[in-house]
Amino acid sequence: MAKRTQGRPAGLSRERIAAAAVDLVDRQGLESFGVRRLASELGVDPMSIYNHIKGKAALLDAVSEAVLTEVSAPATQWPDDWLDIARAMAHGYRDMAVRHPRIFPLLATRAQTSAVALAALERLTAAMRRATLADRAVADAPLVLFGFLNGYLLATLSTDPGGSDAPATPPAFDPARYPTLAALAPLQAGFGGAAEFERMLEAVLAGIAEGATGPPATR
Amino acid sequence: MAKRTQGRPAGLSRERIAAAAVDLVDRQGLESFGVRRLASELGVDPMSIYNHIKGKAALLDAVSEAVLTEVSAPATQWPDDWLDIARAMAHGYRDMAVRHPRIFPLLATRAQTSAVALAALERLTAAMRRATLADRAVADAPLVLFGFLNGYLLATLSTDPGGSDAPATPPAFDPARYPTLAALAPLQAGFGGAAEFERMLEAVLAGIAEGATGPPATR
DNA sequence: AGGCTACGATCTACACCGTAGGTATGCAGA
DNA sequence: TCTGCATACCTACGGTGTAGATCGTAGCCT
């Protein structure tokens, strides 16, 4: 009766689906994202997606994996010094988060066990060990570093709700109730900016380095 | 016709609803949480909830506000030293997160602008200023500290999916592909434990202190 | 006492969601 | 040519959040 396109290939693949999903979440946000929306974006029946990805959860996994892969371009030459490696990884990670602020909460929320993620950790910890740092500190470093990165980036990029594009304004404080915060407010001009990130990253790295070389936990 | 209970008060209130929602998310997880489930838990029509809270988003706000309020018991005596204040706040925060692992992602994801949250930041920054630390470092401290706390706790408490109660096992590594990670694995025995938290917290605090007193960002 | 008003609880209905199960189509190898 | 098989589609079901109308009760004012 009606025109049928059932058997004809539509060029779907896990990669193409994931790419379209990334694009759609970037534009419309996580809130409104769904299988049906994605399907109509691809000009395809919703259920067709299930032939390549087995459910919405797996779809979100594919999305986060796709953006995570962006972070380390395959041809990047990594430095030798572990601190420089950590800095490079942090910057790449932040750049990705800035490119995909609506997707980032996915990464921070879900446990990352993909090959790219593990490879990055391996690089970092191997370099730290080569520098003969204390094993304890080396083992702790990834959790401290990426804990901070995830939390900080979540806080500075949180313009989650669907529509408007607020330019990441810092919240304004009532000077009567919170005098110190109000007094410090001018210093938060570059909230979420690159310079701020730099300072905080260095603070965290200093903390890691201190624990790795200085007095071990003389609390 | 059927028994009507329409006019009779059901004892609903924002607080009672929030408390029930906290309890329900604790037990069943965020995934399956919904207005209808909550209503049936309260023995009430779904739409009745809307007379007190204006939508699902506001409901989740109420939930996160409720658990955030737990963190600082009203009668707590706060120390004078800013480091001790930071430690106390961090511990209280972690205790809350451990009590409500299914709820915590809400706190880490949404911007916290409630009165309790701001009051806590005011306490911390005021103490740091009293200690005549550099203003820059004082202004940065909350973001560094809570960035780390949110990210780290998200990572260690992530047993998100609805049903099973996995005891927060660290992931296992393939020794061939990731030799360093595998070698370090034994050190991750207490993954997510109190001792680990202590070490990492001290590392972050050391980083903050270093930036506040030592050489400022001689990068 | 009688009547009015405001409020909270309920009911109905709608658009939308994820996805299980079944069906049709084209292609590769026999 | 016939047979499998992968892939795309269709239908349908139970679930969701919530707008709008309706109903019963409590508390006031005269």
Side-chain angles (χ1 to χ4, degrees), chain A residues 3 11 24 32 38 52 54 57 81 113 127 130 140 172-173 187:
Chain A
K3 182 185 60 172
L24 193 128
S32 69
L38 176 59
H52 303 267
K54 70 175 179 45
D81 182 26
T113 58
R130 250 183 275 118
D140 288 353
F173 304 116
L187 287 184

Side-chain angles (χ1 to χ4, degrees), chain A residues 129-199:
Chain A
R129 258 199 150 187
R130 250 183 275 118
T132 65
L133 299 181
D135 272 3
R136 174 94 277 164
V138 175
D140 288 353
L143 209 40
V144 176
L145 177 58
F146 280 93
F148 161 73
L149 287 175
N150 281 331
Y152 169 83
L153 292 171
L154 262 187
T156 55
L157 302 178
S158 80
T159 55
D160 245 7
S164 65
D165 298 346
T169 47
F173 304 116
D174 174 6
R177 228 187 293 268
Y178 314 108
T180 312
L181 295 181
L184 259 30
L187 287 184
Q188 301 185 327
F191 182 76
E196 183 192 74
F197 177 72
E198 215 69 35
R199 292 197 312 270

Side-chain angles (χ1 to χ4, degrees), chain A residues 12-67:
Chain A
L12 286 185
S13 71
R14 187 186 157 89
E15 289 72 27
R16 217 169 88 74
I17 293 174
V22 166
D23 195 62
L24 193 128
V25 177
D26 275 342
R27 282 180 295 132
Q28 322 238 80
L30 264 178
E31 218 78 349
S32 69
F33 175 78
V35 183
R36 290 171 133 104
R37 294 272 242 269
L38 176 59
S40 94
E41 195 82 4
L42 285 163
V44 132
D45 186 273
M47 293 312 284
S48 298
I49 291 177
Y50 281 72
N51 288 321
H52 303 267
I53 293 178
K54 70 175 179 45
K56 193 185 188 183
L59 190 50
L60 294 177
D61 283 341
V63 168
S64 67
E65 192 187 318
V67 296

Side-chain angles (χ1 to χ4, degrees), chain B residues 112-151:
Chain B
Q112 293 300 333
T113 58
S114 64
V116 271
L118 292 181
L121 296 188
E122 174 69 24
R123 254 198 313 274
L124 176 62
T125 52
M128 292 182 77
R129 257 197 151 187
R130 250 182 275 120
T132 66
L133 300 182
D135 271 3
R136 175 93 277 164
V138 175
D140 288 354
L143 210 40
V144 176
L145 177 58
F146 280 93
F148 161 72
L149 287 175
N150 281 333

Side-chain angles (χ1 to χ4, degrees), chain B residues 34-192:
Chain B
V35 183
R36 291 169 131 103
R37 294 273 243 268
L38 176 59
S40 93
E41 195 81 5
L42 285 163
V44 131
D45 185 274
M47 292 313 283
S48 297
I49 292 176
Y50 281 74
N51 289 321
H52 303 266
I53 293 177
K54 71 173 177 44
K56 194 186 186 182
L59 190 51
L60 294 177
D61 283 341
V63 167
S64 67
E65 193 187 318
V67 295
L68 233 196
T69 308
E70 291 182 8
V71 67
S72 57
T76 33
Q77 200 67 17
W78 293 97
D80 292 333
D81 183 26
W82 72 268
L83 264 172
D84 289 330
I85 294 184
R87 289 193 185 103
M89 285 178 36
H91 285 125
Y93 197 65
R94 174 174 183 269
D95 290 345
M96 176 272 290
V98 169
R99 262 195 312 270
H100 305 289
R102 328 284 269 277
I103 297 181
F104 186 73
L106 270 188
L107 297 211
T109 305
R110 323 187 130 225
Q112 293 300 333
T113 58
S114 64
V116 271
L118 292 181
L121 296 188
E122 174 69 24
R123 254 198 313 274
L124 176 62
T125 52
M128 292 182 77
R129 257 197 151 187
R130 250 182 275 120
T132 66
L133 300 182
D135 271 3
R136 175 93 277 164
V138 175
D140 288 354
L143 210 40
V144 176
L145 177 58
F146 280 93
F148 161 72
L149 287 175
N150 281 333
Y152 168 81
L153 292 171
L154 263 187
T156 54
L157 302 178
S158 80
T159 54
D160 246 8
S164 64
D165 299 345
T169 46
F173 305 115
D174 174 4
R177 227 187 294 267
Y178 314 108
T180 313
L181 294 181
L184 259 31
L187 287 184
Q188 301 184 328
F191 183 75

